[in-house]
Amino acid sequence: MIINSFVGFIRMLSKICGFISVALVAGSVIVVCQMVFVRYFMGESVVWQTDFVTYGLASSVFLGAPYVAQMKGHVNVDLLTMYAAPKYKRLLGYITISCAFIFSAIFAYTGWELWYEAWEGQWTTASLWALPLWIPYSSLAIGMTLLALEYFADAICAINDQTVPFGTEPGGHS
Amino acid sequence: MSPLIIGALLCAATVIILAAGVPVAFSLALVAVSFLFIFEGPESLGVVAETMFSSISHFTLVSIPMFILMGSAIASSPAAKDLYEALDRWLHRVPGGLIIANLGACSIFSALSGSSPATCAAIGKMGIPEMRSRGYPASLATGAIAAGGTLGILIPPSITMIVYGIATETSIGRLFLAGVVPGFMLTALFMTWALYTAKKNGYQINGSNRSYSMAEKLNVLPRVIPFMLVIIGVLYVLYGGIATPSEAAGVGAMMCVMLAVVIYKIRDAKRLWEMLSSSMKESVMILMIIAASELFSFTLSSLYITQSVAQWIAMLDVNPWVLLGIINLFLLFCGFFLPPVAVILMTAPILLPIILSAGFDPYWFAVILTINMEIGLITPPVGLNLYVINGICKDVSLPTILKGALPFMLCMVLAIVILTIFPEIVLWLPNLVMGPEIH
Amino acid sequence: EMLKASHQFPGGKGDVRDEMMKIVSNEITKADVDLTMRIYPGGSLFKAKDQWVPLTKGLLDMTLVPLAYAAGKHPQFDATLMPGLVKNHAHAARLSDSPFMEAIKEEINDAGAIVLADTWMAGGFASAKKCILEPEDAEGQTFRAAGKAFERMLAGAGASIASMPSSEIYTAMQTGVIDAANTSSASFVSYRLDEQVKCLTAPGENALWFMYEPLLISKITWNKLNAEQQAALTAAGDKAEKYFFEEAKGLDQKMVDAFTKSGVEVVTMTTEQADKWKAIAQNTSYKVFAEQVPGGKELIDLALSVE
Ligand code: NA
Ligand code: NA
């Protein structure tokens, strides 16, 4: 019961980050157009737009990653997994979940480290806008932490037989 | 341990972990991090987070999410249906007409974008479902777009040509011009294959064998106007000096969303969310792979693997044509594992001097290199275009896409052979426009 | 012991900074102190702006990099890419031994790096519209400038500023997204901007644009080396620096030759014209720097006091 609500909570956090990621992409489209407009038609200087779009889109990638993982949107090579017998599929599933977990755990750790350095050293971008770098770096730290939790939740679901890794059998995420 | 042995181990580890079904992005990053950890010590992990973040915080990468959104907006509105209905009515007598039209669209989009995955995503999103619903087999439909998308780096503007130009101090303008004729030649080769295979297997019609009257053909045209306006609009924004290629992609995305909202009246929150979130999912997937492959390239570079092989080639004392053959094989092999820009950064400074001293032209070599990189974009284990298509069409397996893409790869090999025999095809246009280059 | 050295400039093409790295590499090999160097040119290891942090952490041993790239981490470094502080190469050489550079080097040291060789790269302006001599010439032109301080000064002169990665300058110039650009002589040549512009303002005797690009070694690496190895590196650095100062003027001439050959008009600023620009910089770049950066005012004053 508690486990199920933990899993549900993680899934919900990923959805929220996914929503922020979509907003950053949509916002970047608008900002690119605004930038082109003020430069070409108004002859004004472009100060903050380039940084906003560059760091906004990079942030959207790391923040969106856990939601995309939840939707099984990170592409994998399905050569073995397609033809393997069910018991091997389960094994491959555990391998995948652990590799993905190790990856995200490493990057969550180094991501928080980087975030802390940027915060402590008051790092900014090199442009006139001088965006404090801890803001975009927090997307890496938060996104990768959530990604690790997402795979942790996947592991719980797989152990409890709530999902079948690489399976064609029914049963998705709770 | 010698760099070559480490390189072999790294390739093997990559293939194994990918085959186990671990998502591509995580596999590449994990292999990269493990090799850094083992061969350069634990403290080397202090740079991985910043390397990964900075690899995708580049303004030139903006075109990828923007083009994906463009494709997604068109695909989710009836614009795509209208366009393909029109193409179908006009081209239904031509065997493989729709494939040919899509390949043509790839080359038009290549003139709008400097990146191959972006081109591939924009066309694939609308083209593949339409082709499949009209009876083309999944392998041909996906393979054609995966290959057609690679034209993005050959037909100008091109990110890889810019990187090559700066790394080798060659003229970017001349490089762009050098890519034009080979780009059209390659498009024509692709189309020829599509025509041949469609005729042989009889894929040409939308199920029924009906023919359309002239009136029916003309009636459908006004419905294509909005789409054409977008294409003309983006071309104008780009070549009329209003925006750079990366920015033009953003303007194009905005135009396509406006098209969907204003003309096709897609206004309910649910459909808009679907459009935005599906494009977010695809761009996150592909940009994660790009970030991870940059980290992977960093590891290869840091361990001096690619450079060692290139230096070994540089020391070979063989005749120019054997040398060229070896370089081509080497680039092809690099392309299996590395994205184009990484290959250029690591190998161009070492390979270009030997290419020049063997008497080859640097602009001609840039085109040969680019076509090699195009092949790499559709070969496993690291083929960005393959993964873009795989992300768009979840139900089509990777081997199926590969099967469809293989003949197109052979077209590229053929193109390399043709251009090697007739280098004038590459050099004619730049020499015509800018005068002969004095070395 | 093998040292990893990285830089962003074209490799194997005779670029002066690539050559400096090679000189250091050859010298320390010759010194036979159990020290070798592996050079990663063209940003093939770390990208241009990503070298500073690995260097200070000892994960990259050596680099040759525009110091201003690290200004997001150490705002004082922006003083090394400030309009009008350096007039010409002879002035740059005097500046290198001044209290101003002592202060900058102290900051570099505190951050975790040691300077092995000084280089000052000159640069200029190029425009597809009209020659940039007086501040009024910049009015209404869309500029891609190198460096924040230049962006502030040009905006102060009435130009509109576009920011874009350096890889897009050529295309932007070709299609007309930007009218003018401002960067180093070496970059003007390697980007082949002579194909796209009408007029070049070369550095001459009154250059506004100078940028400090030191050859740096990580302090962590340095402290691991023995006295012999350190001495070999210092000697090699001196030799590379001497080589640079011999080549420096040639770099500007190479640009002038390339642009003249392409039929571009080449001009230089007079002292009066440069002073007009400095008056604008006084109220824009210098002012903001003095206000926002701790010790900023002192740094500017120190630099301006070098004759
Ligand atoms: Na292109
Ligand atoms: Na590949």
Side-chain angles (χ1 to χ4, degrees), chain B residues 334-338 375-384:
Chain B
C334 288
F336 288 165
F337 289 91
L338 292 167
I375 299 176
L377 285 166
I378 47 175
T379 55
V382 184
L384 289 183

Side-chain angles (χ1 to χ4, degrees), chain A residues 35 39-40 43-47 50-51 113-114 117 121-130 133 137, chain C residues 49 53 57 68-69 71-73 78 142 148-149 151-152 155 159-165 176-178:
Chain A
M35 165 166 88
R39 190 185 59 215
Y40 186 76
E44 283 170 20
S45 291
V46 169
V47 179
T50 315
D51 266 5
E113 230 175 27
L114 181 66
E117 280 177 275
Q122 301 182 332
W123 294 357
T124 66
T125 59
S127 72
L128 282 183
W129 195 34
L133 274 171
Y137 285 167
Chain C
K49 298 192 176 170
V53 176
K57 284 184 182 170
Y69 283 0
K73 277 124 199 160
D78 263 333
T142 305
K148 278 196 274 202
E151 290 184 335
R152 286 205 178 94
S160 73
I161 304 304
S163 66
M164 62 185 60
V177 172
I178 53 171

Side-chain angles (χ1 to χ4, degrees), chain C residues 242-274:
Chain C
K242 283 208 185 71
Y243 166 79
F244 172 80
F245 276 107
E246 272 162 34
E247 295 288 308
K249 275 224 165 134
L251 292 177
D252 302 333
Q253 195 54 44
K254 191 180 164 199
M255 166 177 71
V256 171
D257 291 345
F259 277 64
T260 313
K261 209 172 85 190
S262 305
V264 176
E265 188 184 349
V266 179
V267 296
T268 51
M269 281 182 198
T270 62
T271 316
E272 293 76 49
Q273 285 164 335

